[in-house]
Amino acid sequence: MQPDSREVYHDGVVKRLVQFSILWAVVGMFVGVYLSAELIWPGLDFGQFWLSFGRIRPLHTNGIIFGFGVSALMATAFYSVQRTSNVPLFMPRLAWICCYGWQVVVLFGGLSLLAGWTSTKEYAELEWPFDIAITVLWVCFAVVFFGTIATRRIKSIYVSNWFYGGLIIVIAMLHIVNNLAIPVTYNKSYSLYAGAQDAIVQWWYGHNAVGFLLTGGFLGMVYYFLPKQANQPIWSYRLSVVSFWAFTYTYIWAGPHHLHYSAIPEWVQSLGMAMSLILLAPSWATMINGIMTVSKAWKKLTVDPALKFIVLALAFYGLATFEGPMMAIRSVNIVSHFTDWTIGHVHSGALGWNAMITYGTFYFMVPRMMGRELYSVRLANIHFWLALAGTMLYILAMWGAGVSQGLLWLSIDELGEVSYSFTDIMASMVPYYGLRLVGGLVFLSGTILMAYNLLRTMYGRHTVMVHPPEVIDELKGTRHNPDAVMGAPAANGTEVPA
Amino acid sequence: MKYHGVTLHRKLENNMGLLIFGILFVSAIGGLVQVLPSIFQDSLRQATDNSHLYTAVELTGRDVYIQEGCHVCHTQQVRPLLAEVERYGPFSRADEFVYDRPFLWGSKRTGPDLHRLGGKYSDDWHRVHLLDPRSVVSNSIMPAYPWLEENMATDMGDIQKKMRALQTLGHPYTDEDIAAAPEEIAGLTEMDVLIVYLQILGTGLSEEQR
């Protein structure tokens, strides 16, 4: 079926989601900076319960993951699924409900965390009314996304959609199972699982929220935006598909490495460790595939801020997915567990990988959607270096803090007693925490620059009307999506900025 | 045979329903093999001499601990390592946690582990420490919790509803326990109940296992 000439891609909702994502990025990172300052100057909460570390730390993680991260995932999924299916979004009104509904959940969910409503489970802290709202909105997201694919005009489903699809399906499964609880009042519930079993279920969820949301979903971004921006086909389509299945199968097993030396069965820990090591293979396969894709377009890397962010993100993806399996080894985990090393590892993923690739896609999409060039390439380049410097300072500080904590905690003197008191070790962290604060501030200032740059680019313009291109008969049956893989210039109606 | 994988791939990439099913199936295997058996493992869920059923006051104190996010900086999981047993006490056993909904093992030790905290300090020490941590631990970076003295334990939600919910989940509360609960927490502040909870932490472990 050929597209109707009046059909246009629904980019308004994409633009709005990008704006919300930027908003939550700034808010979430600001809260993070504030938290890191509280660890140096504990009086910064001014005796206010809602500024207390234990309440705003979940606000930081949830704001970043669900506000910044999921809004960006919805934006890029909606943008790319239309263009890889050659059809406008299925049920665009539902997409708008999804967009605004999600922001309401993030806003009120965040406030509820400040009020002390929490189920305590990491990245699933929100209490049961929010869990239900998230489930409903997630189904809306799934209907729009899979509906668009179901009405596609290209025979095969392009690989970026496999990753977004994996995100939607697996997160739904994890979210529902992990949050099963008996509600007591509107703000309190008791988990269906207790003790060690609760721990196993939670880290099956927690690790795979990282796996399928912060990794799988963002790999969907890689597979659409990297070939487009590099103007090169994916180096090996076969490798992308093989690593998709290996990734989807293996990731799920790795959760128990969060529970090494705890009171869960040892075979569960060992299996989690083994699978974590195996996970290195699909992770690096994807990274290599991405780097090889850009290898014929290195020159573009010197002038194109979007591509710079995407390629740097892949490098940090490689770093974090190497570090993770290493930390999952029991003998390494003895040192790293419960320390700031874990925090550093999370941020080499969250800052270096998730935020960077998201920034890359924003610098890609916004000029195209607005039909004008980026307000300032110079500002985007400054942002790039601030983001890189901030991330490096952050993770270097946390490596220093984490390794010294781990070793000092375990240090035993010749009498068989612990060498250092806990509080002395804790107090010696101030220089590292100071460096981390600087790193966070640098990263945040880069994000604010981007917010200004992109808002100036969007200012006073509507999104350009983009019609789905006509499908040429001989392309209908091909495996590879012509738009995404060949890196063809965007469809009629858009001026691709040089 | 050689082309088997390729044909399956062609089917998946052209059939959305099949692709969705494939993702669900492949991602579910790990949970079914690794997580599900643990859910049915009796040694992880059955009460023993080491298990302690929280009283109404302790349960409310635990909910204060949760509300303030103490678990964000404190673990409740002593690992079976020499240095940890030296520093904190006996390592944590699974049967000590069978009444913990949710589990509070934590993932980050910004402050020390608390699983064997019970009985190590006096109630007064805890009160002063929670109101002004640096007055008793000079280099502490813990926040102060002045509002705990002002809020009443009854503000933490209907204690009888909570105990009934836990009863449904198999916690052996008697109807008398539940009937007496409101009176037990009446007049106590959030600070009072939190300290009661802190003082029983890790004390359930039977003598022969210490």
Side-chain angles (χ1 to χ4, degrees), chain B:
Chain B
M1 207 46 211
K2 192 182 164 196
Y3 296 103
H4 185 70
V6 176
T7 47
L8 178 61
H9 168 71
R10 286 250 193 282
K11 276 185 194 153
L12 286 163
E13 81 168 352
N14 293 332
N15 184 336
M16 189 185 76
L18 197 63
L19 182 61
I20 292 176
F21 174 78
I23 293 171
L24 194 60
F25 177 74
V26 167
S27 66
I29 298 170
L32 292 175
V33 178
Q34 192 185 31
V35 176
L36 203 60
S38 313
I39 299 304
F40 293 103
Q41 187 170 332
D42 287 343
S43 67
L44 297 182
R45 60 174 180 172
Q46 279 181 355
T48 67
D49 290 349
N50 292 335
S51 315
H52 174 76
L53 182 66
Y54 298 111
T55 65
V57 174
E58 292 159 6
L59 186 68
T60 311
R62 191 171 193 271
D63 287 342
V64 173
Y65 185 98
I66 289 170
Q67 170 184 276
E68 298 307 333
C70 305
H71 57 276
V72 170
C73 292
H74 294 282
T75 54
Q76 287 190 22
Q77 178 65 231
V78 181
R79 296 181 290 174
L81 306 172
L82 183 56
E84 298 220 345
V85 174
E86 273 295 315
R87 192 185 298 280
Y88 301 116
F91 64 87
S92 307
R93 270 75 157 183
D95 49 0
E96 295 183 84
F97 300 107
V98 294
Y99 297 123
D100 276 27
R101 289 176 204 269
F103 78 113
L104 293 175
W105 294 358
S107 64
K108 179 69 181 30
R109 245 177 222 165
T110 303
D113 188 277
L114 300 184
H115 189 215
R116 300 293 175 205
L117 180 67
K120 278 190 185 164
Y121 301 92
S122 69
D123 288 1
D124 286 338
W125 185 93
H126 279 301
R127 196 174 302 271
V128 173
H129 182 241
L130 284 161
L131 288 173
D132 183 7
R134 276 155 294 287
S135 67
V136 280
V137 182
S138 61
N139 49 10
S140 168
I141 55 169
M142 191 172 102
Y145 294 89
W147 57 88
L148 294 181
E149 285 267 83
E150 290 148 30
N151 300 342
M152 299 310 290
T154 42
D155 299 343
M156 290 301 299
D158 188 333
I159 182 65
Q160 290 188 316
K161 271 191 185 169
K162 288 181 181 180
M163 291 171 81
R164 256 185 242 113
L166 290 172
Q167 202 181 28
T168 329
L169 289 165
H171 294 215
Y173 290 118
T174 62
D175 290 343
E176 292 80 61
D177 291 339
I178 297 176
E183 208 164 300
E184 287 172 28
I185 64 166
L188 298 179
T189 62
E190 289 186 354
M191 178 70 86
D192 297 329
V193 291
L194 176 62
I195 292 172
V196 171
Y197 171 67
L198 295 177
Q199 291 292 23
I200 57 106
L201 268 178
T203 56
L205 191 64
S206 58
E207 275 308 315
E208 59 268 29
Q209 293 207 31
R210 282 184 169 267

Side-chain angles (χ1 to χ4, degrees), chain A residues 413-448:
Chain A
D413 66 18
E414 55 272 30
L415 296 172
E417 289 176 9
V418 290
S419 311
Y420 307 98
S421 82
F422 188 93
T423 44
D424 285 347
I425 301 170
M426 183 176 74
S428 72
M429 291 299 130
V430 172
Y432 300 116
Y433 287 174
L435 191 61
R436 183 249 304 266
L437 174 60
V438 173
L441 273 173
V442 170
F443 197 91
L444 172 63
S445 56
T447 305
I448 292 171

